[in-house]
Amino acid sequence: MAVLPSPACPTITAIYAAYEAAADSGYRAHLGASLIGTECERAIWYSFRWATRARHTGRLLRLFDTGNLAEARFVADLRRVGVTVLDLDPATGRQWNLRDASGHFGGSMDAVAIGLPEAPSTWHVCEFKTHSAKSFAKLKADGVAASKPLHWAQMQAYMQLAGLDRAFYLAVCKDTDELYQERIRHDAESGLRILAKAERIIGAARPPARISQDPAWWQCRFCDHHAVCHAGAAPERHCRSCLHASPAPGGDWHCARHHAPIGRREQEAGCAAHLYLPDFVAAEQVDAGEDWVSYRLPDGTEWRDGVPAAAPPDIVAHLPCRICRATIYRVGPGKGPHIAELICTGCKTGGRWLSKVDAAAMGVAA
């Protein structure tokens, strides 16, 4: 007898699809404290440079949302026993947002609290987590530092940035609703090392060394960036993968090609002048010009990234857009006495026209 297919579940399918449709771009603007405990610095650098877009199924996105929803219940539980919990920053009315001096490293604290029965007069960084039964059992047996080193490093980073001496880790087993708590002492030396690690990764123009040269090494096999790191896959074209872009103070990015700051939307879009960071190309660099780099591929053929330097630019920097304040424009055809039209790469608004003088100064062909 033929095996009957599984019954269709159109409602569930639609729910998962809705989560996927509402998902963000898959790129995090900053280097998150939740990643800084990762042992492989190359993997962290890849995340900061958007080497691999995070793509999750609707089911997994819903699971993430379950963890987010649990935070409100944790806060309510603590308040129920008399603990003062600030889950929003009173200065902004929004979630606590911590950044280092560069503006590129940090994260969002779940809360800060005072009045815990164990230490009623001490402010604590609060970190709330949900666990599977297996993960929860290991947490109970070994503690946070040993069983969840990324969580421990995340709290050390928050304590260092917030200037607090204690953290309170509150976790729940999703299978049984059993709770686990642990007070974490601030380790000043570890906190400084974490900030130094973040600074080193943010400022690195090239990827740090791999944790292993073996693609089958367990940490490599389960890494999101395995294809880029070990299989020669190329990241998508965007500003973070471009050799012209570099981190700037205040959490900003700067384009050396267009001599202009790069906003978040512009970073994701990239431009026609994009050139891969050479370390993203699994080939030998053999030549380069102002707007191109030539590589010799493993099979001996040559591949040119970019366009010849003599070609007129089709992306230019100009005055801020009157709509979105972006400064990078695509060059479109002119009209009447105008040499060219500038179309904002941020909001796609046109109507800014180039005179002959401005066009000549920018190298735009007449």
Side-chain angles (χ1 to χ4, degrees):
M1 182 177 179
V3 177
L4 294 176
S6 300
C9 302
T11 300
I12 293 176
T13 300
I15 290 172
Y16 288 159
Y19 274 93
E20 293 174 14
D24 60 25
S25 65
Y27 296 130
R28 178 181 284 182
H30 64 282
L31 173 55
S34 60
L35 295 178
I36 199 63
T38 303
E39 188 175 355
C40 180
E41 293 193 13
R42 190 184 187 98
I44 303 174
W45 186 88
Y46 278 148
S47 294
F48 184 60
R49 282 286 183 165
W50 296 353
T52 308
R53 185 190 295 269
R55 289 187 173 91
H56 302 295
T57 64
R59 184 197 65 80
L60 195 56
L61 290 168
R62 189 176 186 278
L63 181 63
F64 295 157
D65 195 42
T66 297
N68 294 332
L69 292 173
E71 293 177 7
R73 190 177 182 192
F74 282 126
V75 170
D77 287 340
L78 291 173
R79 288 174 175 164
R80 185 176 287 115
V81 296
V83 179
T84 298
V85 184
L86 302 181
D87 54 336
L88 300 177
D89 183 348
T92 64
R94 304 172 69 178
Q95 190 173 16
W96 294 91
N97 188 21
L98 301 176
R99 290 292 184 272
D100 70 347
S102 75
H104 288 282
F105 171 67
S108 300
M109 281 194 305
D110 290 336
V112 293
I114 193 170
L116 292 167
E118 298 85 351
S121 61
T122 302
W123 280 100
H124 292 70
V125 167
C126 290
E127 188 61 33
F128 305 133
K129 299 293 185 184
T130 61
H131 291 257
S132 66
K134 181 179 179 180
S135 175
F136 193 79
K138 187 170 179 58
L139 173 66
K140 289 175 61 179
D142 301 333
V144 177
S147 67
K148 292 293 177 182
L150 268 67
H151 295 176
W152 185 87
Q154 182 180 9
M155 287 185 286
Q156 291 296 334
Y158 288 162
M159 285 188 280
Q160 186 72 28
L161 294 172
L164 297 180
D165 293 327
R166 295 291 185 275
F168 186 70
Y169 186 86
L170 186 58
V172 64
C173 175
K174 290 179 285 188
D175 298 68
T176 65
D177 226 32
E178 181 183 355
L179 296 176
Y180 172 87
Q181 70 166 66
E182 186 175 338
R183 291 182 69 223
I184 308 295
R185 183 185 299 272
H186 177 226
D187 184 328
E189 183 177 350
S190 294
L192 291 173
R193 285 180 178 174
I194 286 170
L195 294 192
K197 179 180 181 181
E199 181 181 8
R200 183 168 61 248
I201 292 169
I202 290 165
R206 303 189 64 185
R210 295 181 178 91
I211 194 171
S212 173
Q213 297 299 321
D214 181 4
W217 178 250
W218 69 273
Q219 287 167 300
C220 297
R221 283 192 295 115
F222 295 105
C223 178
D224 292 338
H225 308 292
H226 184 278
V228 173
C229 188
H230 285 288
E236 294 182 27
R237 287 185 179 270
H238 46 60
C239 291
R240 296 283 182 106
S241 65
C242 178
L243 61 81
H244 296 306
S246 59
D252 295 327
W253 283 75
H254 184 268
C255 176
R257 173 64 177 79
H258 298 301
H259 308 289
I262 323 169
R264 170 62 187 265
R265 286 194 296 179
E266 294 165 309
Q267 290 176 42
E268 292 187 16
C271 77
H274 177 281
L275 293 176
Y276 275 117
L277 285 161
D279 288 289
F280 279 140
V281 181
E284 176 191 0
Q285 182 179 332
V286 294
D287 200 2
E290 182 181 356
D291 287 302
W292 57 274
V293 181
S294 184
Y295 295 91
R296 181 175 292 110
L297 302 178
D299 63 3
T301 59
E302 288 196 9
W303 171 71
R304 172 171 283 190
D305 184 18
V307 296
D314 58 1
I315 294 288
V316 297
H318 200 48
L319 297 174
C321 172
R322 61 182 180 275
I323 303 298
C324 71
R325 310 304 294 169
T327 57
I328 306 299
Y329 296 83
R330 181 171 60 82
V331 179
K335 183 182 296 184
H338 304 294
I339 296 299
E341 180 186 16
L342 297 185
I343 302 166
C344 176
T345 59
C347 64
K348 314 304 181 187
T349 300
R352 187 184 290 272
W353 303 97
L354 277 186
S355 67
K356 289 183 178 180
V357 174
D358 287 341
M362 294 180 181
V364 175

